Amino acid sequence: MKVYIIAFFALASSIISLTVSAQDTLRIRQKEAEALFLGNNLDLIAQKLSIRQAEASIIQAKLWPNPEFSLDEVNLWTTRNQLSSGETIPPLFGNFGRNREFTAELSQLIETGGKRRKRMALESVSRDMATEYFSELIREMKLRLRENLFELAFQQSHQTVLTNQQTAVTRLLTSFESQYQQGNVSKPELFRLRALKLELSQEMVESQMQINSLQKDLAILLHTPAGSYLVFETPELPDTEALSTLALNNLTATALANRPDSRISLMQQDWARKKYDYEYAQRKPDVHAGINYDRGGNFLLNFFGFGLKFDVPVFNRNQGNILESRIGMEQSDVQSQQKVQQIETEVTAAFRDLQNSFAAYRSLDPAYSSELDSVLEAYTRYFTQRNVNLIEYLDFFEAYISNKRTIFNTIKQLRQSRETLIYTTGAEI
């Protein structure tokens, strides 16, 4: 049974390596990834079209109402009574229009109370809000992109360590199997090395599965071909000197000024006030001014008349919509206060997380990672020479893998904590 398990994990490892090599490898840096993201992401393209829709709404709001023309009371034939009475209507031109009666009217709606201007102002705020919603989407998706990139860097670095150690353990196991055939190594020692290789293979499979999931998410974000395999060129570490000088009050002020959702909150207040102004203007009735022409409908053969038409605001003075918009102003004020409190809380939490991650990173010895490699190499040599027993070697080997993972994770947490603070402040720091 153990032979089958070993064969299974060996096959799984070979499949993973073949799959990666068969795919188109795309090495990418953070700036290149963000350029692809801004240019190719379909969600951003769709949101950008919303801005154009809002601009089209402004164009529509600027347009004047069309004049209305009506033609009515047209007699299509001459009646007997009309012929017997001897009353005739001369033609309009030539022989056209003889004994034809009709009325025509041309009218124009005139909006009062500055409704058109207020409607344009309302749509302008909506356009500005659409622009800020686009910025907010970029902010959220950029955080997601960078977190995925840093997680990919962590997993790929960890995968490299596991691959190197599996190669070393495989060589060691091959040597021990030969020694076992000669009777120089005990069976428990041989089986314990086989178990170590199984554990490494399983950890490599789990790590590769996480890498595959990240590859899927990044392919969607960057709109890259599904068959491509991204290798993230690990960026430089954040400027620790700059991080140590950050102040919470300055970060909070930056967030309130720069975050798109903060500006959206202020725009919603402005939109609510303009909505109230527009609804209040609806109290004044609009006027229909018109001119009408009557041909043969009264004692005048060609009658021209002028008139006005408007609603008499006795019952409906738009009271309900005015009240609703007034409540909307109060609601937007409360939501704006809540947004300020939310931003301050988020910045504080992100700043504290960055301080903790920064303290953990500064506690790392820069030379510790390379020293671990050297010590493990020495332990492997001592173990081969039988100067170190199996238990001591395996204990250090597990500690080596754990410490490597901790180092990579500490660096990843520092990067992600910094990105979270960038996200909460809405500005690069």
Side-chain angles (χ1 to χ4, degrees):
M1 182 65 179
K2 293 180 178 178
V3 175
Y4 291 129
I5 295 176
I6 295 174
F8 166 76
F9 281 109
L11 180 62
S13 300
S14 63
I15 290 174
I16 290 172
S17 61
L18 286 174
T19 302
V20 171
S21 61
Q23 293 168 333
D24 295 330
T25 301
L26 176 62
R27 296 187 175 275
I28 194 168
R29 296 181 177 86
Q30 182 174 337
K31 289 184 178 180
E32 296 170 344
E34 292 180 3
L36 279 175
F37 162 72
L38 293 174
N40 296 348
N41 187 267
L42 297 180
D43 288 333
L44 293 182
I45 294 174
Q47 184 63 37
K48 191 179 293 185
L49 292 175
S50 298
I51 300 176
R52 294 178 59 185
Q53 286 180 319
E55 291 173 347
S57 298
I58 297 177
I59 295 175
Q60 185 63 34
K62 291 179 179 179
L63 301 178
W64 293 93
N66 289 326
E68 295 182 1
F69 174 78
S70 64
L71 182 65
D72 200 4
E73 299 182 8
V74 179
N75 65 317
L76 300 179
W77 55 85
T78 304
T79 64
R80 292 182 178 180
N81 291 334
Q82 186 178 9
L83 293 174
S84 62
S85 64
E87 296 181 1
T88 59
I89 301 176
L92 286 173
F93 53 87
N95 198 35
F96 176 78
R98 183 184 298 276
N99 296 328
R100 293 291 182 264
E101 176 190 353
F102 63 87
T103 61
E105 182 177 6
L106 181 67
S107 64
Q108 173 67 50
L109 173 65
I110 301 174
E111 293 183 301
T112 60
K115 296 186 183 69
R116 175 176 170 272
R117 175 173 47 82
K118 292 179 172 62
R119 187 167 57 247
M120 289 168 50
L122 199 61
E123 295 296 342
S124 297
V125 176
S126 298
R127 187 270 316 277
D128 295 340
M129 289 174 62
T131 303
E132 293 301 330
Y133 277 122
F134 177 70
S135 301
E136 176 68 5
L137 181 62
I138 291 179
R139 185 176 75 101
E140 293 177 356
M141 296 190 68
K142 186 179 288 187
L143 173 66
R144 180 181 164 191
L145 171 67
R146 291 179 176 179
E147 286 182 341
N148 285 341
L149 288 174
F150 295 149
E151 182 66 28
L152 180 64
F154 165 76
Q155 292 295 339
Q156 289 177 340
S157 299
H158 185 51
Q159 184 78 266
T160 301
V161 171
L162 294 176
T163 301
N164 293 337
Q165 296 315 308
Q166 189 190 47
T167 302
V169 170
T170 300
R171 288 198 301 264
L172 194 60
L173 181 59
T174 302
S175 175
F176 266 61
E177 286 174 344
S178 176
Q179 293 293 322
Y180 174 73
Q181 297 297 331
Q182 300 174 14
N184 298 329
V185 175
S186 65
K187 194 171 185 178
E189 287 183 316
L190 180 63
F191 275 38
R192 186 64 188 87
L193 280 177
R194 287 177 177 174
L196 176 60
K197 184 178 179 181
L198 282 175
E199 292 171 3
L200 283 173
S201 298
Q202 174 62 27
E203 193 167 353
M204 287 183 65
V205 170
E206 292 176 354
S207 178
Q208 187 61 49
M209 291 176 66
Q210 294 186 38
I211 289 175
N212 292 340
S213 178
L214 291 167
Q215 293 283 342
K216 177 199 68 175
D217 293 340
L218 288 170
I220 295 173
L221 286 171
L222 303 179
H223 198 53
T224 55
S228 62
Y229 186 83
L230 291 175
V231 176
F232 181 48
E233 300 288 348
T234 306
E236 296 181 359
L237 291 170
D239 187 355
T240 55
E241 184 177 350
L243 294 180
S244 62
T245 60
L246 295 176
L248 180 58
N249 292 336
N250 294 336
L251 293 172
T252 302
T254 299
L256 293 173
N258 291 345
R259 275 180 54 161
D261 56 342
S262 175
R263 293 196 292 266
I264 289 173
S265 178
L266 297 176
M267 289 179 182
Q268 286 174 336
Q269 288 181 292
D270 189 27
W271 188 90
R273 287 192 292 269
K274 286 180 168 53
K275 179 69 162 45
Y276 174 79
D277 294 338
Y278 178 73
E279 294 295 344
Y280 193 81
Q282 295 292 334
R283 296 173 69 251
K284 299 180 180 179
D286 296 330
V287 176
H288 289 264
I291 178 174
N292 65 314
Y293 169 73
D294 191 341
R295 175 177 167 80
N298 55 37
F299 68 95
L300 296 177
L301 177 60
N302 295 308
F303 173 78
F304 288 90
F306 300 88
L308 297 175
K309 182 173 66 175
F310 53 87
D311 293 337
V312 180
V314 177
F315 306 108
N316 181 0
R317 296 190 300 277
N318 208 36
Q319 299 95 319
N321 289 333
I322 292 173
L323 178 60
E324 184 270 337
S325 59
R326 183 184 294 120
I327 296 173
M329 286 196 300
E330 297 175 1
Q331 185 183 45
S332 64
D333 291 340
V334 174
Q335 290 174 342
S336 180
Q337 295 174 7
Q338 183 183 18
K339 177 58 67 174
V340 170
Q341 184 179 10
Q342 175 189 340
I343 290 174
E344 292 174 348
T345 304
E346 289 179 355
V347 172
T348 301
F351 178 70
R352 290 173 179 171
D353 289 343
L354 179 60
Q355 284 183 315
N356 294 334
S357 300
F358 187 51
Y361 172 75
R362 296 188 69 175
S363 66
L364 293 177
D365 185 352
Y368 183 58
S369 181
S370 58
E371 289 175 357
L372 274 175
D373 296 333
S374 301
V375 174
L376 179 62
E377 187 177 331
Y379 255 78
T380 303
R381 186 171 61 252
Y382 296 154
F383 177 58
T384 304
Q385 298 171 356
R386 311 302 289 173
N387 295 327
V388 174
N389 61 41
L390 180 63
I391 295 178
E392 291 176 331
Y393 177 74
L394 294 179
D395 284 345
F396 183 79
F397 190 91
E398 292 176 358
Y400 170 83
I401 297 294
S402 177
N403 276 260
K404 278 287 189 177
R405 186 188 301 111
T406 300
I407 292 172
F408 295 149
N409 195 52
T410 301
I411 295 173
K412 181 189 72 172
Q413 285 180 343
L414 177 63
R415 290 191 177 114
Q416 290 187 341
S417 297
R418 176 176 175 270
E419 290 304 323
T420 302
L421 187 60
I422 290 175
Y423 170 76
T424 56
T425 56
E428 297 290 337
I429 57 174

